[in-house]
Amino acid sequence: MRYISTRGQAPALAFEDVMLTGLAPDGGLYVPETLPRFSAGQMRAWAKLDYADLAATIMQPFVEGFLAEDELRAITRETYAGFRHPAVAPLVQLGHNEWLLELFHGPTLAFKDFALQLLGRLLDVSLARRHQRVVVLGATSGDTGSAAIEGCRRCANVDIFILHPHQRVSEVQRRQMTTVLGDNIHNIAVQGNFDDCQEMVKQSFSDQSFLPEGRRLVAVNSINWARIMAQIVYYFHAALALGAPERAVSFSVPTGNFGDIYAGYLARRMGLPVRQLVIATNANDILHRFMSSSRYGKSALAHTLSPSMDIVISSNFERALFEFYGRDAAALADLMNRFRSSEVEVPATVIAAARAEFTSFSVDDAMTCATIAGVYEESEYLLDPHSAIGVRAARECRDDPAVPMVTLATAHPAKFPEAIARAGVAREPALPHYMADLFERPERCAVLPHEVREVQDFIRGRMA
Ligand SMILES: *Cc1c(COP(=O)(O)O)cnc(C)c1O
């Protein structure tokens, strides 16, 4: 399997090189040159596979040339054995034909563990074979940082540096990062906001000369293809449990950077009968505005009760646009260049292609709270604010009550107690028992000024 850039001006790469790169050198994102397609007969035969074995079967074509199927299976078994639920991604019923897919049973209680627990292990295998050491560098406003740290903590050849805005992440989120102690783990609290952190990370990626010879940066944000690949699996797993391939299933996905829902779109293109794919956004609704108007334009960042979806641009949407443009990389590159400075409008064929694949809905903080409270009232199920947005959008957009509608529950409610309190639910969401001592664990974190030089000096000084 080879991977090509959405902007058409970068060399095609094999899986390993794509995993070890961030953006393509032409500014695009890597996508598979062709997708595997699975038949109904193949899917029927998968009914007996547990999560880890299904994951290896589905991902195998993507890593061809890097890992053989038995090697990959050993890795997925180890990865998902670390999740705290025997079903790994259990389904919970909320209403008639209405389901939640709980994706928060990994070590940091959010869906990002599905990809990052795997990515750490894949990096380890690749770097050991190549006798290389890399620096993982990322910025986080919350969930990505802790999932990346947990994913890389046991990697022999990775030094990981995660920037977060000082005093602007929740206490649970901070502690999930700073209480993971290890010589290769470095938390940096930047005296600035999330955009400042992200800007310094971008600058460092574009000029890596501050690193010693032979060392490079690896991106673990959701533009990394390996993360998308790992997320395709749970769409298949859930749909098979609900009757696929005989029966179609719909999904509603709380969306920020468009990584998670893009994986659902790929699952459909790989043969899974997916009826609706609902893009559920918070007040940061660039995608909902695009779907409604065919115009794609930035707006100011809103700080919401669902901080992991607070984005201005959904980076991975470029991968879907590439398909809506019929893989015309030149036309897409032109659009993305114009988009940098102004709002752009796409041709009728492009918006029609987008609307054939996705429905969208935007949920503000008041609706989020009402949904948390309403669902708790109905069934005593406590939704986190991101999952609540998914449930609300699912209920608004659903077109056929005979088709199971599955909302991706992307985080555990204990990560976001403020939102639960704001919703007026009297019950405080408890951390799972294995994390009950989170508030007693020692923390390690450096506070640095918003100065890229100082951050880079720090990285050079601490890396092995
Ligand atoms: C990251 C995150 C999202 C958004 O996922 P994308 O892949 O960026 O669309 C939604 N919910 C939670 C809890 C997250 O951590």
Side-chain angles (χ1 to χ4, degrees):
M1 169 89 61
R2 296 196 324 155
Y3 295 84
I4 56 172
S5 165
T6 50
R7 303 213 188 159
Q9 299 295 318
L13 296 180
F15 174 81
E16 249 181 298
D17 293 308
V18 167
M19 174 174 72
L20 292 167
T21 323
L23 286 178
D26 60 1
L29 286 90
Y30 281 105
V31 293
E33 195 164 43
T34 54
L35 281 177
R37 201 167 162 91
F38 300 119
S39 68
Q42 279 172 300
M43 283 183 250
R44 254 173 240 127
W46 295 345
K48 61 179 180 299
L49 300 182
D50 68 7
Y51 192 90
D53 287 358
L54 181 69
T57 305
I58 290 172
M59 294 191 291
Q60 173 40 224
F62 294 110
V63 302
E64 178 206 312
F66 169 46
L67 294 171
E69 187 158 353
D70 56 338
E71 293 171 310
L72 179 61
R73 197 179 305 113
I75 292 172
T76 57
R77 284 181 178 173
E78 188 189 287
T79 299
Y80 297 109
F83 281 53
R84 298 295 192 125
H85 193 295
V88 183
L91 282 161
V92 170
Q93 191 160 13
L94 271 194
H96 174 68
N97 268 339
E98 188 190 26
W99 303 82
L100 278 175
L101 179 61
E102 289 188 344
L103 299 175
F104 51 71
H105 296 282
T108 72
L109 311 182
F111 83 93
K112 292 182 172 75
D113 289 326
F114 276 83
L116 286 162
Q117 285 293 307
L118 179 75
L119 179 58
R121 288 173 170 88
L122 296 179
L123 284 176
D124 231 15
V125 171
S126 171
L127 296 170
R129 285 186 193 166
R130 294 172 171 226
H131 304 291
Q132 275 182 15
R133 209 177 161 82
V134 297
V135 172
V136 164
L137 175 63
T140 189
S141 55
D143 296 335
T144 305
S146 55
I149 287 170
E150 282 287 350
C152 294
R153 67 189 294 182
R154 290 184 195 85
C155 291
N157 295 303
V158 173
D159 294 300
I160 177 165
F161 293 83
I162 297 293
L163 277 54
H164 71 262
H166 186 42
Q167 292 175 340
R168 294 195 200 191
V169 299
S170 80
E171 186 169 7
V172 173
Q173 288 181 320
R174 186 192 75 239
R175 285 180 171 277
Q176 283 188 316
M177 297 191 278
T178 57
T179 60
V180 181
L181 307 179
D183 292 342
N184 65 333
I185 296 168
H186 306 280
N187 280 285
I188 302 174
V190 174
Q191 289 166 323
N193 60 29
F194 173 62
D195 286 335
D196 300 332
C197 297
Q198 207 163 27
E199 194 48 44
M200 291 196 288
V201 168
K202 267 193 202 149
Q203 274 183 39
S204 303
F205 268 88
S206 64
D207 178 5
Q208 305 192 11
S209 58
F210 70 98
L211 291 174
E213 190 69 26
R215 213 55 82 83
R216 65 157 135 177
L217 296 180
V218 168
V220 291
N221 54 7
S222 66
I223 62 165
N224 191 312
W225 164 258
R227 281 187 57 180
I228 307 280
M229 171 185 81
Q231 293 169 190
I232 296 170
V233 176
Y234 46 70
Y235 288 91
F236 277 93
H237 191 251
L240 290 173
L242 292 171
E246 273 63 39
R247 190 184 194 202
V249 176
S250 293
F251 291 94
S252 173
V253 188
T255 301
N257 241 333
F258 203 77
D260 207 3
I261 190 162
Y262 174 65
Y265 163 78
L266 293 176
R268 176 192 269 156
R269 301 207 29 196
M270 289 161 67
L272 189 69
V274 176
R275 184 178 167 97
Q276 284 184 286
L277 274 173
V278 179
I279 300 169
T281 76
N282 64 20
N284 295 288
D285 62 349
I286 180 171
L287 293 175
H288 179 59
R289 284 183 286 115
F290 171 77
M291 294 297 292
S292 316
S293 71
S294 80
R295 286 192 296 277
Y296 193 46
K298 296 166 212 171
S299 63
L301 182 74
H303 291 280
T304 72
L305 290 174
S306 43
S308 302
M309 292 157 62
D310 286 347
I311 47 88
V312 174
I313 302 169
S314 302
S315 322
N316 280 295
F317 194 54
E318 178 167 342
R319 287 181 155 127
L321 280 171
F322 182 58
E323 306 301 335
F324 305 153
Y325 267 92
R327 297 204 150 199
D328 181 345
L332 179 62
D334 171 60
L335 181 88
M336 295 312 291
N337 280 328
R338 285 185 289 120
F339 171 69
R340 271 198 297 204
S341 52
S342 68
E343 182 179 271
V344 292
E345 179 149 18
V346 300
T349 51
V350 170
I351 191 68
R355 287 178 183 152
E357 301 284 352
F358 299 100
T359 319
S360 70
F361 194 78
S362 166
V363 179
D364 64 16
D365 277 353
M367 279 194 260
T368 305
C369 287
T371 308
I372 292 173
V375 168
Y376 187 70
E377 182 67 28
E378 287 162 17
S379 58
E380 294 211 12
Y381 190 91
L382 208 41
L383 291 168
D384 101 286
H386 306 81
S387 310
I389 287 171
V391 167
R392 180 60 178 260
R395 290 179 175 180
E396 299 283 345
C397 295
R398 185 165 201 190
D399 66 2
D400 184 351
V403 175
M405 171 60 88
V406 180
T407 294
L408 273 50
T410 50
H412 190 289
K415 285 192 95 160
F416 302 96
E418 309 82 14
I420 311 282
R422 275 275 287 282
V425 173
R427 201 176 94 203
E428 173 124 13
L431 283 167
H433 65 89
Y434 54 88
M435 282 184 62
D437 65 339
L438 183 67
F439 288 83
E440 277 94 63
R441 294 180 199 166
E443 294 186 76
R444 195 171 72 132
C445 182
V447 180
L448 293 183
H450 169 208
E451 271 294 334
V452 74
R453 280 261 157 282
E454 294 225 19
V455 170
Q456 294 180 344
D457 286 347
F458 180 87
I459 293 174
R460 217 180 17 244
R462 298 296 171 95
M463 57 191 262

